[in-house]
Amino acid sequence: MPLQPHSRRTSGGATAAAAIAASRRPGRRCGAAGAAGSGSPRAGRELRGHASFRWSPPRTDSRGATSWAEAIAGASVGFPCCGPGTRGPRLLAMAPLSTRLLFQRGRPKSDRLGKIRSLDLSGLNLLSEDLDLNLLGRLKQLQELDLSDNQLETLPADLGLPHLHVLHCANNQLSDVTPLCQFPQLEELSLEGNPFLTVSDSLKITFLLPELRKFNGKDVSTTRSKAENLNRELTTRVATHWRKFMAALSPEEQAKAQANFVKSAVRNVRYGPVSLSEFTQWRVRMISEELVASGGTHAREADMPEGPHKATATQEPRARPVALRRPGDTPLSLSPQKRVCTSPLAPVEGSPVGSESSQLEPLHFLQCHSKNNSPSDLRTQLWACAFEPAWDEGQAGATSQTVATCGGEAVCVIDCQTGIVLHKYKVPGEEFFSVAWTTLTVVTQTGHKKRWNVLAAAGLRGLVRLLHVQAGFCCGLIRGHKKAIATLCFSPTHETHLFTASYDKRIILWDIGTPNQDYEFQASHLLTLDTTSTPLRLCPVAPCPDTYLLAGCEGGCCCWDVRLDQPQKRRVCEVEFVFSEGSEASGQRVDGLAFVNEDVVASKGSSLGTICLWSWSQTWQGRGSQPTVAVVVLARLQWSPTILAYFSLSTCPDKGLVLCGDEQGSVWIYDVRPLLAQRSPPQAAPQAPTQILKWPQPQALGQTVTKTMVNTVVANPTFTYLTALTDSNIVAIWRRGEP
């Protein structure tokens, strides 16, 4: 009987017999199909219509406190479920603004523009240059203005509306909020559906509009207070930088160097999540300019204590505290289906667990995927995570501390530095198994190019959701599989090409395209790759990603030709790779697969207790015309002897590292560079790991979580942060200290 999505095996060929719907119990993986031949993760159930997709609002902890980042995320712009594409009909063309049009759309009805207090200019397809300053400037008593559902990319700097109290600019293309400072009396503002505005813009608004009470329909007081806390810390850091900057200069040099201080502060003062760097740099520049203008007096003021306020943003609650699965339990026991093999773990010779483990320090333990936000939820299984690509390619790893995680019905985006959940997306009834990032270039109607990151998420329902994380809405839904999607990945060379692998034994290559003017995707189907068993991991071949795709499957490791210039649009496996020890026959599961460098592949699952390193180039050269090829093994790495499956490995190519979790909550780390540098034949005995991070056993509600399963481990490219996802609804984050 085939395995259902992400179930653990308890023996070589045995599977759990319970159906998925009946297998949501502590310590169990999803079971096999409830009815033979049903062929569906949820037998007998059809998927009809769109799955609902909503952003989860900030929630309070047991003391009623809401984390400052969640409050900020709640106030961020652009959170409609389906993006700005859900707006109503719009005019195909419009006439320039005229006095007659203002009279028609103004209230109260009057024969004088100066008496109009409310004006509705929504849905007119207006461009920024259509806003006639001379005409609008005559609306001296205007208090409410609706510019929603237009094509505005910016607001003119001087609209001349001194008494404006309410402004609606939803569903436009605004990318800058600084012109809003011309409305100092503004009390209510709506900017939903502007995809190029971010959480940083929400924070800017709290400084630009001191009288603002409601933003996107929500009270702004919490966001303002949290932004002020962030601002205080930035002010202190700028003042410290001022003293260090000036101390190194002579009095004559100080007078000349003040102009350079602003640039130095913007470049060097850092604080808070990198996703808020646009806001922090904006505030640092303003604070620095004020400091220079005052001759440093603000720096002296910043030295004064601020009373009881000492808590910084990083000290605020970050997520629900970790709790035990059963409150009355002492150390957690594992059910029979999650028990390890009875044979003890062999000693790890040469492993610097004690001497070097301090290089990686446990930083955060988050329970942010809880069902119904329950603090007692230690049942939700977390499956995949991926670090966000750098927004600024000029700064290596600039945003690599932001990680997306998935499990249960939620996808979370977390800042590893602070432990703050920046965004949370929920789809009731879904169970997410995989996430992947890509960075797209979007050209606006006026020809401006914008770069923004898109997150793809998929799981039990067989649907791919394309999420615009910065703006916070789902802007695309891809249907193509009849069963759950086990994994997905983007092409490293084509930013719009997406591979999805499903339990329907098909891998599909999509071109998601670029979004239209309403920021909606229209994906096209490029290729279908048939498999003989369930695909579990996808890996474009590093030296030729446009030519070949590797997949780790329940039945082994397979390779397909994915060249798009070939006529066949449906293809079968071209080569199956087998592993030397006890693998002469094919059919052994490969549940871990990743390239360590341009040639070396790390794979797991084909041999108990080891990870195999093999050469792609040498293996491919010896292929000939045979459909089954034995891999050229370079080395074997010692790993846990557990018989359980689906612990995904990952690599950090820039550092030559292989990472993998195990059934005890440990993280195995291998630096394979010295091993691969050896010219001698591979040693018979598996090589010990460089380091093992033991499960830190976090405290929760006065008790200890002693054991868990680490399903996946991923590090950012610079190996500064390491994120591990567990079988018990815990996201664990480590940080590497200074060497």
Side-chain angles (χ1 to χ4, degrees):
M1 183 179 296
L3 283 176
Q4 288 300 311
H6 298 275
S7 59
R8 293 275 190 214
R9 292 207 177 196
T10 57
S11 63
T15 64
I20 277 185
S23 64
R24 310 290 191 214
R25 295 188 290 272
R28 292 189 183 271
R29 296 277 170 174
C30 304
S38 63
S40 171
R42 293 180 182 263
R45 179 177 179 180
E46 294 184 15
L47 297 176
R48 294 186 176 92
H50 286 260
S52 61
F53 183 88
R54 69 169 185 264
W55 167 75
S56 176
R59 295 195 171 110
T60 59
D61 61 18
S62 57
R63 299 168 297 173
T66 302
S67 78
W68 69 275
E70 287 177 333
I72 291 170
S76 63
V77 295
F79 276 82
C81 294
C82 297
T86 59
R87 67 188 74 164
R90 299 157 75 183
L91 299 181
L92 296 178
M94 55 81 58
L97 290 184
S98 64
T99 303
R100 180 180 178 182
L101 181 64
L102 299 190
F103 282 139
Q104 288 176 344
R105 293 200 166 218
R107 296 291 185 276
K109 290 298 183 181
S110 172
D111 58 355
R112 294 179 59 186
L113 293 179
K115 292 185 178 182
I116 294 177
R117 295 180 178 272
S118 176
L119 180 61
D120 181 3
L121 297 179
S122 63
L124 295 176
N125 226 25
L126 293 170
L127 301 177
S128 299
E129 54 266 31
D130 294 325
L131 299 180
D132 189 328
L133 300 184
N134 293 329
L135 188 59
L136 295 176
R138 295 165 60 185
L139 302 168
K140 298 299 183 183
Q141 299 302 317
L142 191 67
Q143 297 183 5
E144 182 173 354
L145 176 61
D146 190 348
L147 293 171
S148 302
D149 299 297
N150 286 297
Q151 296 293 327
L152 304 177
E153 291 195 353
T154 186
L155 290 175
D158 188 9
L159 282 173
L161 304 173
H163 300 293
L164 196 65
H165 291 279
V166 179
L167 177 61
H168 300 289
C169 284
N171 299 329
N172 279 282
Q173 299 186 46
L174 298 176
S175 59
D176 184 15
V177 297
T178 52
L180 293 172
C181 65
Q182 64 184 294
F183 309 124
Q185 304 301 316
L186 203 63
E187 298 177 357
E188 186 173 338
L189 175 65
S190 173
L191 293 177
E192 293 176 313
N194 284 274
F196 299 122
L197 296 183
T198 68
V199 176
S200 290
D201 294 300
S202 303
L203 291 172
K204 290 180 183 180
I205 287 169
T206 64
F207 285 91
L208 296 171
L209 303 173
E211 301 298 324
L212 192 68
R213 294 183 296 104
K214 284 189 175 182
F215 178 48
N216 289 344
K218 298 178 181 178
D219 185 85
V220 78
S221 58
T222 302
T223 302
R224 176 173 281 116
S225 64
K226 302 306 179 181
E228 288 172 352
N229 290 341
L230 183 60
N231 184 69
R232 276 192 288 268
E233 179 65 26
L234 291 173
T235 301
T236 300
R237 295 190 177 213
V238 171
T240 301
H241 186 68
W242 168 272
R243 290 191 295 272
K244 293 180 179 179
F245 185 84
M246 291 301 175
L249 303 176
S250 65
E252 295 78 12
E253 292 174 324
Q254 289 181 3
K256 299 178 181 179
Q258 288 188 3
N260 296 325
F261 170 73
V262 175
K263 295 181 180 179
S264 176
V266 171
R267 184 171 58 252
N268 295 294
V269 175
R270 294 285 185 270
Y271 181 69
V274 177
S275 57
L276 300 181
S277 60
E278 181 187 350
F279 167 76
T280 56
Q281 291 182 15
W282 178 74
R283 281 301 299 157
V284 165
R285 178 177 296 277
M286 295 175 67
I287 296 168
S288 302
E289 290 172 347
E290 293 171 0
L291 198 58
V292 170
S294 69
T297 48
H298 286 181
R300 290 188 288 274
E301 291 171 0
D303 292 336
M304 299 176 63
E306 298 186 37
H309 177 77
K310 293 183 180 180
T312 63
T314 57
Q315 295 171 309
E316 298 274 344
R318 285 180 278 272
R320 289 287 189 180
V322 175
L324 289 178
R325 192 186 304 276
R326 294 173 292 278
D329 283 351
T330 50
L332 290 180
S333 61
L334 301 178
S335 71
Q337 295 216 6
K338 294 180 77 171
R339 287 200 186 109
V340 299
C341 181
T342 54
S343 61
L345 178 66
V348 182
E349 298 181 2
S351 172
V353 174
S355 60
E356 295 185 17
S357 60
S358 59
Q359 293 182 1
L360 280 162
E361 303 171 351
L363 189 60
H364 305 295
F365 294 88
L366 310 179
Q367 195 180 357
C368 50
H369 290 262
S370 300
K371 190 171 184 179
N372 299 323
N373 206 39
S374 171
S376 61
D377 179 9
L378 282 180
R379 302 182 181 185
T380 297
Q381 298 166 323
L382 311 183
W383 290 111
C385 59
F387 277 88
E388 185 174 11
W391 294 338
D392 185 357
E393 297 180 355
Q395 298 180 4
T399 59
S400 60
Q401 69 181 40
T402 304
V403 66
T405 61
C406 74
E409 61 184 19
V411 174
C412 295
V413 179
I414 302 169
D415 182 86
C416 291
Q417 178 185 358
T418 61
I420 290 167
V421 180
L422 301 173
H423 302 285
K424 185 174 182 178
Y425 309 89
K426 297 183 72 174
V427 182
E430 178 64 279
E431 184 173 0
F432 286 105
F433 294 151
S434 188
V435 289
W437 292 94
T438 190
T439 303
L440 299 180
T441 301
V442 180
V443 180
T444 67
Q445 288 186 333
T446 57
H448 298 151
K449 290 185 178 181
K450 304 283 187 178
R451 296 278 289 175
W452 45 274
N453 291 333
V454 173
L455 179 66
L460 186 65
R461 291 188 172 182
L463 305 174
V464 180
R465 290 174 171 83
L466 301 175
L467 312 178
H468 187 333
V469 174
Q470 278 186 270
F473 58 78
C474 177
C475 48
L477 194 65
I478 302 176
R479 306 167 186 270
H481 292 285
K482 297 179 180 179
K483 294 186 179 181
I485 294 176
T487 187
L488 49 77
C489 73
F490 280 97
S491 165
T493 54
H494 296 280
E495 60 187 25
T496 64
H497 286 189
L498 173 67
F499 291 97
T500 59
S502 170
Y503 288 86
D504 62 12
K505 299 180 182 179
R506 292 189 305 157
I507 300 170
I508 296 179
L509 173 59
W510 307 89
D511 186 345
I512 66 171
T514 53
N516 59 22
Q517 64 178 9
D518 289 330
Y519 303 97
E520 298 169 328
F521 286 91
Q522 297 293 330
S524 58
H525 187 156
L526 300 179
L527 283 179
T528 296
L529 310 176
D530 291 319
T531 68
T532 56
S533 61
T534 302
L536 303 173
R537 306 286 176 248
L538 296 179
C539 186
V541 174
C544 47
D546 296 332
T547 305
Y548 294 110
L549 175 74
L550 283 177
C553 305
E554 285 288 355
C557 183
C558 300
C559 178
W560 288 264
D561 186 333
V562 294
R563 288 175 292 180
L564 295 177
D565 57 359
Q566 303 298 308
Q568 301 87 359
K569 299 306 178 184
R570 185 156 194 163
R571 304 172 189 176
V572 297
C573 171
E574 184 167 322
V575 180
E576 181 180 354
F577 297 109
V578 296
F579 301 82
S580 56
E581 285 190 6
S583 305
E584 290 78 6
S586 61
Q588 296 195 350
R589 179 195 311 115
V590 174
D591 58 7
L593 192 66
F595 271 82
V596 181
N597 55 34
E598 287 293 301
D599 179 56
V600 179
V601 186
S603 60
K604 182 184 73 68
S606 59
S607 181
L608 187 66
T610 61
I611 295 172
C612 180
L613 300 182
W614 52 282
S615 169
W616 161 263
S617 60
Q618 296 179 45
T619 300
W620 195 253
Q621 287 173 4
R623 172 204 170 194
S625 59
Q626 301 180 16
T628 302
V629 180
V631 302
V632 177
V633 177
L634 302 178
R636 283 187 168 83
L637 310 177
Q638 179 187 359
W639 184 66
S640 168
T642 179
I643 57 177
L644 302 180
Y646 312 123
F647 297 99
S648 177
L649 65 78
S650 69
T651 60
C652 190
D654 291 346
K655 302 295 181 179
L657 298 176
V658 177
L659 312 168
C660 193
D662 70 8
E663 79 290 353
Q664 297 285 351
S666 298
V667 176
W668 299 60
I669 303 176
Y670 309 84
D671 184 348
V672 300
R673 289 172 295 184
L675 197 61
L676 298 178
Q678 298 176 3
R679 300 292 183 181
S680 57
Q683 300 181 22
Q687 299 298 299
T690 308
Q691 183 178 354
I692 297 179
L693 299 179
K694 295 295 185 181
W695 178 244
Q697 301 189 9
Q699 294 286 328
L701 304 177
Q703 301 183 67
T704 303
V705 180
T706 59
K707 283 187 179 181
T708 189
M709 289 187 176
V710 174
N711 291 329
T712 189
V713 183
V714 175
N716 67 338
T718 58
F719 197 54
T720 306
Y721 294 98
L722 183 149
T723 301
L725 303 189
T726 71
D727 211 43
S728 52
N729 190 30
I730 300 173
V731 178
I733 300 174
W734 282 263
R735 177 176 58 193
R736 185 164 63 95
E738 296 295 331

